[in-house]
């Protein structure tokens, strides 16, 4: 499984011969100006919640690729009304896709669309594949529900928000990595706006002090698990 960081909370995942994009927000992100949204491949677009900084480029990408939108019921209905195809889920539910099993997890956050319309309740995703298992937390606070995840899944990587203010910061994210029992963390949702700018070395040290690894990727670069 190859995971490419496309800035903010946007990830491109290649697994089992499929391309998955998560929370595309590229054209609104000055830091991601070297990423061309029109060259991105997608069989699926996973959306954690309806906030602008997670959905801005969904329609462009789905029009270009014909990808299937996977998200909560309300978000899939919103795009369904615009004739985009989707697969609706809700919290705690899992579905076996052709690349692996996806579970929609609980997140403590909000989820309105930019026009204020209802975007369901926010979530995250567990993706279990023959190439490894990852948890993408979405925008969330630290929550006790994270402790349920290792009861069901052995994770190889946790993707956690670390920018603070709108989500967990690094201290809470380090606790979250304890809760999900995963020592390898990819940080996201940081540096995009003034409210979420972080000190990278300080953030890495919070994890290193617990014998954990915090990976902070340059936009456009990748890791493999
Ligand atoms: Ni949000
Ligand atoms: Mn966000």
């Amino acid at each position: 499984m190859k995971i490419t960081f496309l800035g903010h909370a946007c990830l491109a995942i290649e697994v089992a011969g499929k391309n998955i994009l998560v929370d595309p927000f590229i054209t609104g992100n000055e830091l991601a100006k070297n990423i061309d949204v029109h060259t991105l491949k997608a069989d699926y677009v996973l959306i954690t919640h309806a906030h602008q900084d997670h959905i801005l480029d969904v329609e462009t990408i789905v029009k270009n690729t014909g990808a299937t939108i996977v998200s909560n019921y309300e978000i899939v209905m919103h795009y369904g009304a615009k004739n985009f195809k989707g697969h609706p889920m809700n919290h705690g539910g899992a579905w076996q896709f052709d690349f692996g099993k996806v579970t929609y997890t609980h997140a403590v956050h909000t989820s309105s669309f930019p026009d204020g319309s209802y975007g369901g309740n926010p979530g995250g995703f567990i993706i279990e594949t023959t190439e490894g298992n990852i948890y993408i937390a979405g925008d969330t606070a630290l929550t006790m529900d994270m402790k349920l995840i290792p009861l069901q899944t052995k994770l190889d990587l946790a993707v956690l928000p670390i920018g603070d203010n709108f989500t967990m910061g690094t201290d809470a994210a380090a606790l979250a990595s304890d809760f999900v029992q995963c020592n390898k963390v990819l940080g996201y949702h940081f540096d995009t706006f003034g409210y979420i700018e972080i000190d990278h070395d300080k953030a890495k040290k919070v994890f290193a002090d617990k014998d954990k690894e915090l990976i902070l990727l340059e936009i456009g670069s990748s890791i493999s698990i």
Side-chain angles (χ1 to χ4, degrees), residues 49 51 53-54 109 139:
H49 66 294
H51 286 161
D53 60 315
H54 299 258
H109 194 68
D139 285 10

Side-chain angles (χ1 to χ4, degrees), residues 120-154:
N121 283 317
F125 296 100
I126 298 167
I127 305 175
E128 295 169 87
T129 77
T130 56
E131 299 172 26
N133 302 328
I134 66 169
Y135 168 51
I136 300 167
D139 285 10
T140 184
L142 178 66
T143 164
M144 292 296 276
D145 284 8
M146 291 170 178
K147 291 192 172 187
L148 300 175
I149 292 171
L151 300 179
Q152 295 180 291
T153 311
K154 171 91 187 74

Side-chain angles (χ1 to χ4, degrees), residues 20-21 23-24 42-47 58 61-62 67-71:
I20 303 162
L21 277 178
D23 286 356
D43 298 293
Y44 298 92
V45 175
L46 272 55
I47 306 172
V58 167
I61 289 163
V62 174
T68 299
I69 294 168
V70 179
S71 189

